[in-house]
Amino acid sequence: MEKQNLYKGFALVIFSAVLFGTTGTSQALAPAGISSTAIGSLRLIIGGPALLLMTLTFGNIRLAAFRPPVIPTLVAASGIVMFQLCFFEAVARTGVALGTIVAICMAPVISGLLGAVFQKERLTKVWLIASLLAISGCVLLSVAGSEVQVDTTGIFLAFGAGFGYAVSLVGSKAVVADHSPILGIAVILCVGAVMVLPRLLLFEDLSPVMTAQGMTVVLYLGLVATAAAYLLLAKGLSVVPVSMTALLMLVEPLTGCFLGVLLLDEMFTPVTGIGALLIFSGLLVISFFKEKPAPVAPLVTRHKKSRFRNKR
């Protein structure tokens, strides 16, 4: 029975990673006229409250007892906002496959550096090797030249998305400490939604969103690729060992890459392929040979075991 529960946990984690990996492709299938910043903002505005509602409904958790620290919550929410706004613009410029690989695979590398600077965490040899591989891949993609059709600005935006994701990892540590991680993430997403709401209402043209295709895309991103994905992840990680988490979550960048090539006819030239392989290899090194538990958070409960807690 225990082994059956473990396999079920593996399936839930992998399924959640697949859902996370569909975000870039979903944007590519949105109707013309919806900006990347609007897509990212709407994902937070729909996904944050939906995840909070799901958590309170299915997790048997009391929101009134949750007192997150203000500064870390704002830092984590700012990182999430940066990730959303940079990521969707990056995949619009570079393609879903490259944008997803750079953004997701660079995050653990950057979070290690931020942890060392702000939290005095030790940088290991494993982190150094992974960083050299990932940075070499980014440099190769950035200087590849026009012959390989790589948008340098898009690569830097993907790097910025990875940086935002890493900031959310570091900030969310204090938010989820001694609390239900999934509730902490839901609150962080809701704070991020409040941050982006004024700009969305004042400066974005939302008329394309009001079409059937536009509503389908944003509802999918918010309800399925965010709220449902996190909920499945939390349930899966309640039985999956922490040591397996990062390996299972490799399905996310693989999904983005696979969908980009299969559905959107994106092509990898030898140069872009080598650059992407170097970046992905950095994440593999961290996953297989990490010397201590990887940093936590959103787009992140991804690297930490989480479980719903009963009311006391």
Side-chain angles (χ1 to χ4, degrees), residues 41-198:
S41 299
L42 287 167
R43 184 189 183 193
L44 284 179
I45 291 168
I46 296 172
L51 179 60
L52 183 60
L53 181 61
M54 289 179 181
T55 302
L56 297 177
T57 301
F58 301 112
N60 196 23
I61 294 172
R62 292 181 300 173
L63 183 60
F66 185 56
R67 295 287 186 274
V70 175
I71 299 301
T73 300
L74 292 176
V75 169
S78 299
I80 284 295
V81 169
M82 182 177 181
F83 172 80
Q84 300 298 325
L85 300 185
C86 288
F87 175 76
F88 286 106
E89 181 63 22
V91 297
R93 289 172 173 266
T94 67
V96 174
L98 279 181
T100 302
I101 289 176
V102 174
I104 301 302
C105 296
M106 284 299 297
V109 174
I110 301 171
S111 64
L113 181 60
L114 292 177
V117 173
F118 295 104
Q119 299 177 337
K120 309 303 180 184
E121 295 179 351
R122 181 173 62 92
L123 294 179
T124 65
K125 292 180 181 179
V126 168
W127 179 88
L128 180 60
I129 293 172
S131 298
L132 290 175
L133 287 170
I135 292 172
S136 298
C138 280
V139 170
L140 185 60
L141 291 177
S142 299
V143 302
S146 59
E147 182 180 348
V148 293
Q149 301 297 312
V150 172
D151 188 300
T152 303
T153 302
I155 295 298
F156 280 109
L157 283 169
F159 185 87
F163 180 83
Y165 187 75
V167 168
S168 72
L169 288 176
V170 175
S172 63
K173 278 188 174 183
V175 179
V176 302
D178 300 322
H179 295 287
S180 165
I182 192 64
L183 178 59
I185 292 169
V187 170
I188 289 170
L189 291 178
C190 287
V191 173
V194 173
M195 289 180 174
V196 299
L197 183 59

Side-chain angles (χ1 to χ4, degrees), residues 251-307:
V251 173
E252 179 181 351
L254 284 176
T255 299
C257 182
F258 177 77
L259 291 177
V261 173
L262 181 67
L263 298 182
L264 305 177
D265 297 323
E266 295 177 0
M267 298 294 293
F268 270 9
T269 67
V271 176
T272 57
I274 292 172
L277 182 61
L278 285 172
I279 295 171
F280 192 72
S281 297
L283 185 58
L284 282 173
V285 168
I286 288 179
S287 301
F288 278 106
F289 305 107
K290 59 185 178 184
E291 300 172 26
K292 60 179 180 177
V296 188
L299 270 224
V300 183
T301 334
R302 313 184 169 186
H303 301 296
K304 183 174 181 177
K305 186 175 182 179
S306 64
R307 52 168 55 91

